[in-house]
Amino acid sequence: MHIRGVRLSAAGFMVDLRYRILDADKAAFFLNRKIAPYLLDSAGARLGVASSPKIGQLRSTQRGGIRLDRDYSMLFGNPGRYLQQGSKITLVIGEHKIENISVE
């Protein structure tokens, strides 16, 4: 998986994470809805994927199979605009961690 960017959106109340899958077999769990991803900051705050009552979690899924030529996304809630530009975060999905990601 290659992180394409982590940006603040919705006036800073959401964190938009964009990524591209480089190996479909190794990264299938990233698109599995049963595994709940979250962001951790250096102080230990845990931010989960935002959810809408009508469409559910705001993240890409495996519908139609995994494509290597496409960007995928996850939107995380950022209540109180806790994360700011320059914040260092860790993406956690199941047992996997991607550390030291900067918010743009």
Side-chain angles (χ1 to χ4, degrees), residues 1-7 9 15-21 60 70-76 91 101 104:
M1 183 173 117
H2 171 70
I3 303 289
R4 307 275 291 183
V6 179
R7 295 175 182 85
S9 62
V15 177
D16 183 357
L17 183 136
R18 303 285 170 142
Y19 61 97
R20 184 165 284 206
I21 293 180
S60 300
R70 132 169 223 237
D71 285 347
Y72 292 90
S73 65
M74 294 183 206
L75 283 173
F76 295 87
L91 172 64
I101 303 168
E104 297 174 16

Side-chain angles (χ1 to χ4, degrees), residues 9 18 22 34 43 51 62-64 67 69 72 78 96:
S9 62
R18 303 285 170 142
L22 303 175
K34 294 178 183 176
S51 184
Q62 280 184 324
R63 241 179 254 167
R67 292 182 34 201
D69 61 342
Y72 292 90
N78 189 22
H96 305 278

Side-chain angles (χ1 to χ4, degrees), residues 25-86:
D25 295 329
K26 290 182 181 178
F29 67 91
F30 277 92
L31 300 174
N32 185 343
R33 286 228 182 242
K34 294 178 183 176
I35 300 172
Y38 58 92
L39 298 177
L40 284 176
D41 81 332
S42 56
R46 184 175 167 161
L47 305 173
V49 172
S51 184
S52 167
K54 292 196 180 218
I55 60 173
Q57 289 186 339
L58 303 178
R59 65 185 279 210
S60 300
T61 63
Q62 280 184 324
R63 241 179 254 167
I66 297 174
R67 292 182 34 201
L68 301 180
D69 61 342
R70 132 169 223 237
D71 285 347
Y72 292 90
S73 65
M74 294 183 206
L75 283 173
F76 295 87
N78 189 22
R81 294 189 249 184
Y82 183 75
L83 294 178
Q84 301 292 321
Q85 278 186 330

Side-chain angles (χ1 to χ4, degrees), residues 82-101:
Y82 183 75
L83 294 178
Q84 301 292 321
Q85 278 186 330
S87 294
K88 296 288 185 186
I89 56 173
T90 299
L91 172 64
V92 181
I93 301 178
E95 300 290 322
H96 305 278
K97 291 183 181 180
I98 299 175
E99 298 177 321
N100 204 26
I101 303 168

